Amino acid sequence: MSRTPVSFEARSHQTLHLHSQRTALVHTTATLAARRRAGMAAEPAWHELTARSQAVRRQTLSNLGTYLQQLESALQARGSQVLWARTSAEACQFIVDLARRSGVGHVLQTQSALPLEIGLAAALQGAGFTLSPTNQGEFLAALSGQRPTHPNAGAAHLRIDDMVRTLHARLDMPVLLTADAASHVIRGRVRQAALQSGLAVMGIDLAVAETGTLALFNDQGDVRLTAALAPVQVAIMGLEQVVPTLDDLWLLQRVRARSASGRATSTYVELLSGAAAAGREFYLILLDNGRSHLLTGAEAEMLACIHCGACLDVCPVARRVGSQPYAWSYPGPVGAVMAPLLLSAEFGDVADASTLCGACRSVCPVGIDLPRHLLAARERRATSGRGQIRAPGRLLVRTLHTPARYATLSAINRLGRLLVGAQQTRRWLAPWLWRWTAARNLPAPAPETFRRRWARQHAPAAGAVANA
């Protein structure tokens, strides 16, 4: 779970060699994408719903300060304490201090990307506490020493035999466990931890400004168990995760569920409005961590994200490398844009790991133009001096600057490929392109180049010239 700024290429090599994990992740994301398409087909007004969702998110971001103040006032009126954390360090320090004051040994954590963003596990461990995920997928990912792979399926990269081996190695469970038995073991461990813990950290999905309602969406019921048992509860949310009204909440929940898994709604929708009983403590952390700065720039649109995971399910890069090479708590195209903005410019190379195919933009239910932001991230890296074009790239740029050089290079390449044949095309190409063609097939050259065909089709007819 290290954030060491090693290159994305180096980090991804470690996961690409794990064939079983890559196969499992491709299968899971393909299944989720298929369910999403089926869910959209079952929703006649899908385009209307997404258009309304886009309008809600953009209107909310335009008046974010007003809605956050409303949310704070509504929660404080019911006895909850609201804290504004400017940085990850401030958020972690508050939770660590609260754990010390509460006298707990370990802390529960419901499914959320925010604890990963702020580095909560490391902060608690450094203070002598442990963090126990309540979601089964995140529990397995933590046991295997990895980050959750997917916002909707934390162990999407693990096959059942991988899960069983992890449970056997870490919990001394039998190696002949079935999938149901493995799930039962994990559920028992989570419930045991919930009964023993006195402090829970819960990631909020959306909060309603007008009522102070905090919504958590999940499919396993762990949030309900945690909220019912933990005497001290800390809810954490990003500044952008607020909506004006309850109607807006139901709209975005409906769109998010369809986009995430094709369902009409999440299995469990928990609505919290403060401490559930007298004598309990309830805190809400409003995390900035660079978000207010983003609101003033061209990247403000990124804060409209509702974390459905649809872009990850269709990204040809993220589907194969998983979450580990990404520096951000949220993998895929969103993480590639947000990591250099909110963590460090050292992670700017993640934006290069994209084909710019536009699949992420086509499935985003709130209309975020992710390819545009990826290109902007590349431009920022290049202008900062961190991104350097390698020698072959510089040579190609100089060649393409003049029509004569381009025509010469094209003719040489075309002649060489025709002479050596399709089977040997890869070896004919320059050595620095061999890696690019290792997984791609180049078609045979066309009988006529585009330039010649254009010149022939647009050349003036002989008769027209004579009569001119």
Side-chain angles (χ1 to χ4, degrees), residues 142-467:
L143 277 183
S144 62
Q146 298 178 325
R147 289 179 295 182
T149 309
H150 193 285
N152 304 313
H157 61 299
L158 299 179
R159 300 186 306 183
I160 181 58
D161 52 339
D162 298 322
M163 298 178 188
V164 171
R165 281 196 295 268
T166 298
L167 291 173
H168 174 70
R170 300 299 302 275
L171 302 180
D172 198 26
M173 293 290 109
V175 294
L176 300 179
L177 286 178
T178 63
D180 290 340
S183 178
H184 181 75
V185 168
I186 298 172
R187 192 181 302 115
R189 291 293 180 128
V190 167
R191 290 178 177 175
Q192 182 181 6
L195 288 170
Q196 296 175 349
S197 178
L199 173 61
V201 177
M202 299 180 291
I204 302 302
D205 290 303
L206 291 171
V208 181
E210 68 173 1
T211 62
T213 304
L214 307 177
L216 300 91
F217 312 135
N218 65 100
D219 295 323
Q220 297 178 8
D222 55 297
V223 174
R224 181 170 300 178
L225 177 69
T226 303
L229 295 178
V232 182
Q233 300 171 14
V234 180
I236 182 170
M237 59 177 279
L239 298 181
E240 78 282 6
Q241 293 176 270
V242 64
V243 295
T245 68
L246 280 171
D247 287 340
D248 298 327
L249 170 66
W250 298 129
L251 168 66
L252 291 176
Q253 189 278 145
R254 181 180 177 184
V255 169
R256 184 182 186 274
R258 284 291 192 196
S259 194
S261 61
R263 299 175 183 171
T265 185
S266 301
T267 306
Y268 295 91
V269 178
E270 310 295 343
L271 301 179
L272 307 178
S273 55
R280 294 192 175 188
E281 301 178 41
F282 189 91
Y283 304 88
L284 172 65
I285 297 177
L286 293 172
L287 179 66
D288 186 334
N289 204 29
R291 288 165 171 79
S292 58
H293 177 70
L294 288 187
L295 280 172
T296 63
E299 298 82 14
E301 180 188 38
M302 293 299 303
L303 296 176
C305 178
I306 57 176
H307 303 291
C308 64
C311 58
L312 196 153
D313 294 336
V314 298
C315 177
V317 176
R319 292 183 63 213
R320 284 160 177 80
V321 302
S323 66
Q324 309 312 314
Y326 290 89
W328 187 243
S329 56
Y330 197 88
V334 171
V337 175
M338 297 293 277
L341 291 173
L342 297 187
L343 283 183
S344 168
E346 294 285 346
F347 299 109
D349 65 331
V350 181
D352 293 334
S354 171
T355 64
L356 299 177
C357 63
C360 51
R361 176 176 51 201
S362 68
V363 298
C364 180
V366 290
I368 300 175
D369 191 352
L370 281 163
R372 178 174 67 86
H373 290 290
L374 288 166
L375 279 173
R378 294 181 181 183
E379 182 180 2
R380 285 192 298 271
R381 183 165 179 259
T383 55
S384 69
R386 295 183 181 275
Q388 297 182 357
I389 303 177
R390 297 175 182 176
R394 291 195 296 270
L395 177 61
L396 182 61
V397 168
R398 287 197 295 269
T399 301
L400 296 180
H401 264 223
T402 62
R405 292 177 184 173
Y406 172 79
T408 301
L409 179 64
S410 178
I412 294 174
N413 178 57
R414 177 179 173 80
L415 177 61
R417 292 174 60 194
L418 286 173
L419 290 175
V420 301
Q423 298 299 323
Q424 301 296 325
T425 292
R426 181 168 177 261
R427 290 298 166 186
W428 161 254
L429 293 171
W432 55 80
L433 294 179
W434 288 355
R435 289 172 58 191
W436 191 88
T437 56
R440 301 170 178 85
N441 293 321
L442 290 177
E448 186 178 25
T449 66
F450 171 79
R451 282 171 167 261
R452 289 184 178 178
R453 183 168 54 187
W454 179 273
R456 176 173 52 80
Q457 293 181 352
H458 292 76
V465 175
N467 295 329

Side-chain angles (χ1 to χ4, degrees), residues 10 54 60 65-66 124 129 139 219 281 302 330 336 376 403 411 451:
Q54 293 175 28
T60 301
T66 300
L124 287 171
F129 303 98
F139 182 89
D219 295 323
E281 301 178 41
M302 293 299 303
Y330 197 88
R451 282 171 167 261

Side-chain angles (χ1 to χ4, degrees), residues 85-96 118 120 236 285 287:
R86 292 172 298 175
T87 64
S88 297
E90 287 186 9
C92 287
Q93 189 59 54
F94 172 77
I95 296 173
V96 168
I118 65 176
L120 182 58
I236 182 170
I285 297 177
L287 179 66

Side-chain angles (χ1 to χ4, degrees), residues 37-49:
R37 291 191 295 270
M40 290 172 54
E43 193 74 70
W46 176 249
H47 293 294
E48 177 188 348
L49 292 174

